[in-house]
Amino acid sequence: MTRHMGWSRRIRSTGPAVIASVALLVGCEALPEPDSPAGSGGGGDGAAAPDGRAVSPLDNPDGTEPGLGPVSGERARAAAVDLIGKVTTKGRGPRTGYDRDEFGYAWMDTADGVPLARNGCDTRNDLLKLHGRNVEFRTGSDCVVVAMDLHDPYTGQDIAWKKAKASEVQIDHVVPLSYSWQMGASRWSESKREQLANDALNLLPVEGRANSAKSDSGPAAWLPPNKRIRCAYTVRFAQVALKYEMAVTAPDKRMMLEQCGG
């Protein structure tokens, strides 16, 4: 049983007055700063995570906190623009030689140098446990997730997911592996490519259709439909690029800056 389910049990056993107080506090923390509208300044189509668990990427530099929360407020957006400004640019190279296997087998637990590795559970299930709520496991396992509730940051929708329809939730590589290959990963060591493919910073469980629509696009060609999250998405894209000393294309960087008001 996950810590999230334990929290739910504690809430159910708490009196109504205490529950109301907790809800009020969480609601206050989720309010945007008074000098700005909520989100990234690009308008708002989607809803925030219903339980307040989604964390801004500026407060989650290693990707080990759940969700992808909006970057809200003038100071936060200025910090986002500063971070994105540090990313270097270059042209996108050819896709020649790209193969998913160049980044190790899918969802390996043995990629060194990244959070959640070598814990006896593969990367996909680690991500489902991290970001899901009301997580249920296969009988006799504390690893294999068979059902959960997910707030998808890309669409702003809630998904009641079951393993029987696995493709409804997919794990997105924020910086697509093919994109990274074209931006220099073709010359990286095998271990560095395995890190990128299994790093929680570069991974988000999202609606399958949104992930398929994104394909291997950079931010200039694709952004999440949920406008509230677009600045946060480009910040996460920049965090991955900086961590792995990887450039992005000039159009991608311009679009990233634009989403955060830069």
Side-chain angles (χ1 to χ4, degrees):
M1 200 67 67
T2 68
R3 59 181 180 180
H4 314 317
M5 296 181 72
W7 168 252
S8 298
R9 287 197 297 272
R10 289 197 292 274
I11 287 293
R12 286 196 294 270
S13 64
T14 305
V18 175
I19 294 174
S21 299
V22 171
L24 179 61
L25 287 172
V26 171
C28 289
E29 290 175 353
L31 290 175
E33 295 178 25
D35 61 359
S36 70
S40 67
D45 287 347
D51 57 1
R53 291 179 61 239
V55 178
S56 164
L58 293 172
D59 298 322
N60 186 21
D62 61 1
T64 56
E65 297 296 331
L68 182 68
V71 175
S72 299
E74 205 167 299
R75 288 189 298 274
R77 289 198 302 275
V81 168
D82 181 66
L83 180 79
I84 295 168
K86 296 175 182 177
V87 178
T88 59
T89 63
K90 71 174 188 177
R92 192 164 173 168
R95 200 171 181 269
T96 307
Y98 169 75
D99 189 285
R100 174 62 178 84
D101 289 345
E102 294 290 341
F103 293 78
Y105 63 86
W107 314 129
M108 61 194 302
D109 184 40
T110 55
D112 291 322
V114 295
L116 310 180
R118 298 187 181 275
N119 63 357
C121 190
D122 65 83
T123 303
R124 176 181 168 81
N125 281 295
D126 278 335
L127 269 291
L128 297 179
K129 288 192 292 181
L130 174 64
H131 294 274
R133 295 173 288 117
N134 305 318
V135 175
E136 298 177 17
F137 296 101
R138 177 185 293 167
T139 302
S141 172
D142 60 0
C143 171
V144 180
V145 178
V146 296
M148 65 169 187
D149 296 326
L150 178 75
H151 180 76
D152 168 33
Y154 286 2
T155 64
Q157 303 301 310
D158 294 320
I159 302 171
W161 178 83
K162 294 186 182 298
K163 192 173 179 66
K165 296 184 177 180
S167 63
E168 289 184 354
V169 168
Q170 299 175 13
I171 308 296
D172 178 44
H173 286 95
V174 177
V175 175
L177 301 185
S178 174
Y179 182 100
S180 75
W181 182 265
Q182 294 172 272
M183 300 306 291
S186 60
R187 297 184 296 276
W188 293 358
S189 66
E190 182 180 359
S191 63
K192 185 175 179 179
R193 288 197 293 265
E194 290 174 353
Q195 288 173 18
L196 178 71
N198 293 278
D199 191 340
L201 183 65
N202 194 34
L203 297 169
L204 285 171
V206 299
E207 183 200 62
R209 286 173 298 181
N211 186 48
S212 297
K214 173 183 172 178
S215 186
D216 65 349
S217 300
W222 186 91
L223 289 168
N226 180 5
K227 293 180 181 179
R228 292 186 73 250
I229 216 70
R230 287 180 177 177
C231 176
Y233 172 78
T234 60
V235 166
R236 179 60 70 84
F237 205 100
Q239 287 173 323
V240 175
L242 290 169
K243 179 175 179 178
Y244 287 88
E245 300 178 318
M246 182 177 60
V248 304
T249 69
D252 285 334
K253 183 173 180 177
R254 286 194 297 272
M255 182 62 74
M256 292 159 73
L257 289 168
E258 182 180 324
Q259 300 313 305
C260 298

